[in-house]
Amino acid sequence: MAVLPKRNKIVLVNFLGRGYGDSPKYIAEEIMRQSLPYDLVWLVYDMNDIFPDGIRKVKFYSLKSRYELSTARVIISNTKARLPYSKKKAQYYIQTWHGGFGVKYIEKDIEQFLPDDYVRDSKYDSSITDLILSGSDFQTQVIKDSFWYDGEIFMKGIPRNDIFFNYTRETISKLKKLYGFEEDIKIVIYAPTFRRNGNVDVYQLNAHKLLQTLREKTGDVWKLIIRLHPGIAGKRGIFHYDNDVIDGSSFADSQELLVLSDLLITDFSSMMMDFSIMRKPVFLFILDLEDYIKDAGGVRPIFYNLPFSMAHSNEELNETIREFDISDYHNLLDSFMHKYFRSYDDGHASEYVVERIKKIMGSE
């Protein structure tokens, strides 16, 4: 007898087995907020990861995970990879993707640089996707050009970005307490992306010099969170951690880290645009610009119009921080957002997605 989808089951996947984070988390939160009668299943590698009541954890790639996928009415994932099931006609697959703003070329743009199995799996993912989410005019065009996808694009914002519109001072206080920070501490987060060639020399941030510069600039006490891309999180041992430099690569929800942080340092990561939604300062720290462009197949023209100061050495980074003016930054940011990005985010993306899910759950 064939195994059929159950009309009230939703399976969620975050980075192929990571914990409770990214857009799948915020969609699940909205479902639970509305007390909808859905069976929420999260596929996870580490069964010790903490999840709220109302979500069932199932070991990813186990036999049971295959069963849950095969019997789900709706499946939600944020990576373009082949999940261990064969999609049925009655199933609905939502691709949230995990990079709302990409200055680097991806997917179809750099097909010649990608492993054959990744290209095959990404094309397959696009072929079974019923709905892919977009947070901006810019992202919509990237999806059309780069994702081997010609289905429906849901231009209603990115669920994981809702928190940037809805947080309060109380939210920040709770997050600081959750992550072990004192109330009056300022936080800078360093979040570089991966390099296809595996080079780790490009992450040579002088952490303590940076913290000293920030103290001199603002008069506040600062701590640094280092948050590496999932593709290089296994290499976080290249940094020395102490009371002032914290390893944040294992924390499940990067958006919470962005909310509690006051300043972001990155290179080519889409986090730059997530963070700037809150109008907080962003600095680019790139030691290998020419090599990266050559190795990654180039960067999009929009990269050269970014409203963020770019430094190519630790000395230059500290100097740009000393010279930083928040009013000038906001003027540049506003112009960029209007001219190049044109965001759809309004703090309600999760609600819009859940409204679509309710229609799917109610259909035959």
Side-chain angles (χ1 to χ4, degrees):
M1 184 175 67
V3 177
L4 299 175
K6 298 180 179 180
R7 290 187 54 172
N8 72 329
K9 182 187 288 187
I10 300 174
V11 171
L12 305 104
V13 189
N14 174 34
F15 287 112
L16 299 179
R18 294 193 77 187
Y20 193 49
D22 209 75
S23 287
K25 168 185 173 177
Y26 292 92
I27 295 171
E29 297 268 302
E30 179 61 24
I31 289 171
M32 291 186 289
R33 188 189 70 80
Q34 295 188 30
S35 300
L36 297 173
Y38 302 152
D39 179 17
L40 300 180
V41 180
W42 200 287
L43 303 187
V44 63
Y45 270 123
D46 187 351
M47 293 295 287
N48 293 316
D49 285 345
I50 297 174
F51 282 76
D53 294 339
I55 295 180
R56 290 196 293 117
K57 293 182 292 184
V58 173
K59 184 77 171 180
F60 197 30
Y61 282 115
S62 66
L63 183 61
K64 184 170 176 56
S65 75
R66 296 171 186 268
Y67 170 79
E68 300 290 359
L69 284 165
S70 297
T71 56
R73 179 70 173 98
V74 172
I75 297 163
I76 301 172
S77 178
N78 67 345
T79 54
K80 296 183 87 270
R82 185 182 290 268
L83 299 175
Y85 82 111
S86 295
K87 185 187 176 192
K88 299 176 177 64
K89 185 177 181 180
Q91 295 184 301
Y92 195 86
Y93 180 62
I94 299 175
Q95 174 59 254
T96 71
W97 190 233
H98 60 271
F101 175 75
V103 298
K104 54 193 176 185
Y105 287 111
I106 58 173
E107 302 288 302
K108 184 179 179 181
D109 303 320
I110 54 170
E111 182 173 353
Q112 70 273 26
F113 294 103
L114 298 173
D116 291 342
D117 57 348
Y118 179 87
V119 173
R120 182 189 65 242
D121 291 348
S122 183
K123 287 181 177 180
Y124 176 77
D125 183 272
S126 290
S127 74
I128 66 169
T129 294
D130 296 290
L131 191 72
I132 189 168
L133 310 188
S134 175
S136 67
D137 277 357
F138 174 82
Q139 187 178 5
T140 295
Q141 194 59 51
V142 170
I143 291 170
K144 290 179 179 179
D145 293 343
S146 310
F147 275 60
W148 298 291
Y149 180 73
D150 59 1
E152 183 180 357
I153 301 173
F154 199 63
M155 296 180 284
K156 294 287 188 177
I158 302 300
R160 70 179 188 183
N161 289 345
D162 288 347
I163 190 174
F164 300 145
F165 294 84
N166 302 318
Y167 75 92
T168 63
R169 293 185 65 178
E170 183 181 3
T171 305
I172 296 175
S173 295
K174 287 181 178 179
L175 288 175
K176 283 188 173 181
K177 184 176 180 180
L178 175 66
Y179 288 100
F181 295 108
E182 297 88 347
E183 179 74 22
D184 59 345
I185 292 294
K186 296 287 188 180
I187 306 294
V188 51
I189 185 167
Y190 175 47
T193 193
F194 68 96
R195 300 300 192 271
R196 288 196 313 110
N197 61 13
N199 183 13
V200 297
D201 293 335
V202 299
Y203 309 123
Q204 294 181 8
L205 179 73
N206 189 328
H208 289 284
K209 180 60 178 176
L210 168 67
L211 293 174
Q212 178 185 342
T213 299
L214 288 169
R215 283 194 294 268
E216 293 171 352
K217 171 74 173 180
T218 67
D220 297 302
V221 177
W222 289 74
K223 290 184 183 286
L224 170 67
I225 297 175
I226 297 177
R227 171 75 176 192
L228 299 180
H229 185 279
I232 54 172
K235 298 181 179 181
R236 55 184 183 263
I238 62 176
F239 294 97
H240 173 71
Y241 304 103
D242 54 33
N243 188 54
D244 294 324
V245 182
I246 293 90
D247 179 5
S249 295
S250 62
F251 299 146
D253 190 346
S254 61
Q255 308 308 87
E256 288 184 346
L257 296 182
L258 295 183
V259 167
L260 67 83
S261 296
D262 301 279
L263 184 149
L264 170 68
I265 297 173
T266 186
D267 43 26
F268 304 97
S269 172
S270 63
M271 275 190 179
M272 67 176 77
M273 203 49 56
D274 291 355
F275 198 74
S276 64
I277 287 174
M278 298 179 285
R279 297 173 64 76
K280 297 179 182 180
V282 176
F283 294 86
L284 304 184
F285 177 63
I286 305 173
L287 301 181
D288 62 333
L289 180 58
E290 292 184 4
D291 289 343
Y292 183 89
I293 291 173
K294 181 179 178 181
D295 185 60
V299 291
R300 300 181 190 279
I302 198 172
F303 175 76
Y304 300 101
N305 294 298
L306 291 173
F308 315 124
S309 298
M310 186 188 308
H312 304 288
S313 68
N314 279 281
E315 293 76 13
E316 190 175 358
L317 174 63
N318 287 292
E319 186 60 29
T320 59
I321 290 173
R322 293 187 192 100
E323 296 178 352
F324 178 75
D325 181 274
I326 191 67
S327 296
D328 291 343
Y329 170 68
H330 283 162
N331 288 335
L332 289 171
L333 180 63
D334 291 343
S335 176
F336 174 86
M337 295 291 279
H338 176 74
K339 185 174 182 179
Y340 297 103
F341 191 62
R342 295 181 291 277
S343 175
Y344 307 146
D345 283 312
D346 62 1
H348 300 283
S350 299
E351 297 173 42
Y352 302 140
V353 174
V354 171
E355 286 305 307
R356 171 58 65 90
I357 289 173
K358 286 157 71 172
K359 291 180 181 178
I360 297 306
M361 291 298 204
S363 64
E364 294 298 328

